Amino acid sequence: MLTAQQLNSDFESKTEGEIKKLLSWSAIEDADVERIASIASVSEDFSDAVIQKFYDHILSFEEAADMFASESTLERVKRGQKEYFRQLTAGVYDQKYFAERKRIGQIHETAGIGPALYIGAYAFYLNQVGLELLERVGSPEEAFRLHLSLLKLAHLDMALALQTYVEARETTIEAQQREMSELPTPVLQVKAGLLLVPVVGTLDSHRARSLTIALLESIQSMRARVLVLDITGVSAVDSMVANHLLQTMTAARLMGAHSIITGISPTVAEALVKIGVDATSLNTFGDLERGFEEAERIMSAHREE
Amino acid sequence: MADLRSSLRVTIARDADVVAARQRGRAVAAEVGLSRPDQALLATAISELARNVVNYAGRGEALIEAVSQVGRRGVLVTVSDNGPGIDNIEAALSDGFSTGGSLGLGLPGARRIVDEFDIESKPGEGVRVRILKWA
């Protein structure tokens, strides 16, 4: 049984075993491959005609016509299409084939050709191929069997292309999330020597690091004695987030600043205790007001020294 | 272990997936009828386990299932990966043990939070942790 993980992993790095699994998942058997390979020369004969009809069809749409405005682009794409058809009917479905499918998927994605356009065009293409087979292959039954075999491969192709779309989309979303997590966490100077940092959202490891750096830089540039980290807006705290907070506080202490944490919600408090985080090392106060009172106390103690 | 009612699979490969797994877990917990504090506890446990996947295995998945047994309902979460596995499970389950510079509270912490905890791992063959919290 194929796991989702195997389906999701990079096709380029597919091992032979994984490719075998993918082929058997699509029920592509040796008989299919042999059948397709047996008509390689016939396919070569009609590929030009099919490709011509394919582009006549596509180019009747304005969007596509714009895309292939120059004659040279169109020629290049047609050559690519012919090469694709040659590979599809060559009967060799190895790592190189899968990597090439992925590359084509990426090109479509970049060109803004979405799944609907892609699959729609593919259907037209397969239809033309089917008609050619019906005319050129011995019996209708043989033509039908051939077409069924081709359909299996075509569907695997489409699956790979869709996978590429999804992966590309995921990469985009991740980049956007990165960007959002890099939204500067404001470090506010409440008064001379006292900084307030309202932490909002999710503290993933990347964001926690940039928060630490921003804080330490602010301590230096604003000559802070005390900083109040308010985590009212943090949705969840696990041991990693707690660890980051502890490390930030230790680093701040090394730079001569005391840290105070405020705004721990009841559920966060319970979770931290149950996980086993030593809460005494987190200098915590119930709310911001208390936190500021403690900050004042520390600062006046410093002044008296 | 119990009837399978509905399940939810979340791929874990990056930080954002940890958040996703945690949120899905919390949503299922709410559906099943766990109290709000218990929802948060389960979410934290999922967070710890999913974080381990990202940090040590790179890739894995969380399967979140609503389960029921005579008279009670609960959430079963299976977090698995095909990473390097754990050499010494007993050590990994003790407080403060870490090979990755963390607080070393992930596994023992998650175990304390839930009602049932089960871990299987062989070096080189990944880790599978199952946790269950009853409503």
Side-chain angles (χ1 to χ4, degrees):
Chain A
M1 178 69 194
L2 199 67
T3 66
Q5 202 172 337
Q6 282 169 320
L7 271 179
N8 282 333
S9 60
D10 202 325
F11 287 109
E12 229 151 338
S13 58
K14 284 234 161 297
T15 63
E16 241 165 80
E18 284 170 330
I19 287 175
K20 231 176 231 158
K21 243 181 188 171
L22 265 179
L23 288 171
S24 65
W25 177 256
S26 298
I28 295 166
E29 291 150 13
D30 290 345
D32 293 303
V33 177
E34 279 164 26
R35 203 174 285 133
I36 292 168
S38 74
I39 55 140
S41 63
V42 182
S43 337
E44 187 89 35
D45 288 344
F46 68 69
S47 67
D48 279 332
V50 168
I51 289 166
Q52 191 53 47
K53 279 190 188 144
F54 179 71
Y55 283 100
D56 286 347
H57 172 71
I58 288 183
L59 292 175
S60 66
F61 295 88
E62 225 174 274
E63 307 91 303
D66 287 347
M67 209 175 288
F68 301 119
S70 82
E71 198 63 31
S72 64
T73 310
L74 187 59
E75 278 313 310
R76 189 164 46 79
V77 176
K78 277 184 182 171
R79 271 201 306 278
Q81 190 71 247
K82 186 164 178 166
E83 174 57 22
Y84 162 66
F85 195 66
R86 203 191 56 74
Q87 285 174 11
L88 181 71
T89 52
V92 182
Y93 310 107
D94 54 4
Q95 264 164 314
K96 209 175 133 215
Y97 178 82
F98 284 96
E100 180 65 9
R101 300 279 66 75
K102 191 184 158 91
R103 192 181 71 83
I104 298 297
Q106 273 161 348
I107 291 173
H108 283 134
E109 215 280 332
T110 318
I113 301 167
L117 286 181
Y118 173 73
I119 292 179
Y122 213 134
F124 179 88
Y125 188 81
L126 285 170
N127 197 43
Q128 293 304 318
V129 170
L131 292 173
E132 290 288 343
L133 288 175
L134 209 51
E135 254 179 47
R136 289 166 191 262
V137 177
S139 70
E141 193 202 324
E142 205 183 324
F144 185 63
R145 284 190 190 284
L146 255 169
H147 202 238
L148 283 181
S149 297
L150 272 178
L151 277 182
K152 290 182 186 176
L153 265 177
H155 278 93
L156 179 54
D157 250 33
M158 284 188 253
L160 298 181
L162 282 184
Q163 194 67 51
T164 312
Y165 283 121
V166 173
E167 278 168 16
R169 200 51 58 88
E170 272 175 4
T171 311
T172 312
I173 292 172
E174 197 188 357
Q176 283 167 344
Q177 280 172 341
R178 268 277 164 275
E179 221 166 273
M180 273 171 61
S181 76
E182 273 167 11
L183 287 178
T185 301
V187 179
L188 312 169
Q189 186 166 31
V190 179
K191 57 190 278 188
L194 175 57
L195 300 181
L196 168 63
V197 188
V199 189
V200 178
T202 315
L203 272 181
D204 61 26
S205 53
H206 181 83
R207 182 148 185 254
R209 254 198 315 278
S210 49
L211 171 71
T212 306
I213 292 165
L215 250 178
L216 297 179
E217 280 172 356
S218 302
I219 291 173
Q220 189 178 36
S221 64
M222 299 183 188
R223 309 187 62 209
R225 282 259 168 87
V226 182
L227 50 100
V228 177
L229 280 158
D230 186 74
I231 61 166
T232 310
V234 175
S235 51
V237 176
D238 58 18
S239 70
M240 191 212 74
V241 172
N243 193 22
H244 271 295
L245 290 174
L246 282 169
Q247 287 178 352
T248 304
M249 290 172 73
T250 309
R253 191 71 203 92
L254 283 174
M255 296 188 67
H258 291 268
S259 312
I260 293 166
I261 291 187
T262 62
I264 290 188
S265 70
T267 51
V268 167
E270 197 197 4
L272 283 183
V273 172
K274 288 254 167 95
I275 300 175
V277 172
D278 182 6
T280 51
S281 49
L282 291 166
N283 194 11
T284 57
F285 286 85
D287 55 29
L288 202 50
E289 196 181 343
R290 292 271 175 77
F292 277 148
E293 281 170 19
E294 173 64 9
E296 287 292 350
R297 203 189 57 72
I298 294 172
M299 297 213 326
S300 61
H302 267 281
R303 272 194 293 273
E304 280 157 23
E305 272 167 18
Chain B
M1 190 188 276
D3 296 336
L4 200 135
R5 279 281 178 81
S6 61
S7 66
L8 215 53
R9 211 178 278 275
V10 183
T11 302
I12 302 165
R14 53 199 130 200
D15 270 340
D17 300 330
V18 176
V19 179
R22 182 166 69 205
Q23 284 171 346
R24 303 263 172 90
R26 192 193 276 262
V28 173
E31 241 169 67
V32 164
L34 266 72
S35 68
R36 281 187 64 86
D38 279 352
Q39 291 170 27
L41 288 181
L42 181 73
T44 307
I46 295 173
S47 189
E48 299 290 349
L49 300 179
R51 191 84 73 191
N52 281 349
V53 172
V54 174
N55 288 348
Y56 297 104
R59 192 181 186 96
E61 65 170 28
L63 179 66
I64 301 159
E65 295 166 283
V67 295
S68 62
Q69 229 181 31
V70 210
R72 59 177 181 174
R73 302 188 71 197
V75 183
L76 170 68
V77 182
T78 310
V79 178
S80 53
D81 63 62
N82 297 315
I86 298 175
D87 284 330
N88 186 343
I89 291 186
E90 211 157 304
L93 284 171
S94 57
D95 279 343
F97 178 87
S98 173
T99 56
S102 69
L103 289 177
L105 293 171
L107 281 178
R111 177 153 76 161
R112 272 192 290 275
I113 288 178
V114 296
D115 297 318
E116 285 173 41
F117 182 97
D118 171 59
I119 181 166
E120 278 172 42
S121 176
K122 278 188 198 134
E125 288 178 23
V127 182
R128 190 184 74 158
V129 184
R130 293 197 300 170
I131 55 174
L132 202 159
K133 192 145 185 81
W134 295 112

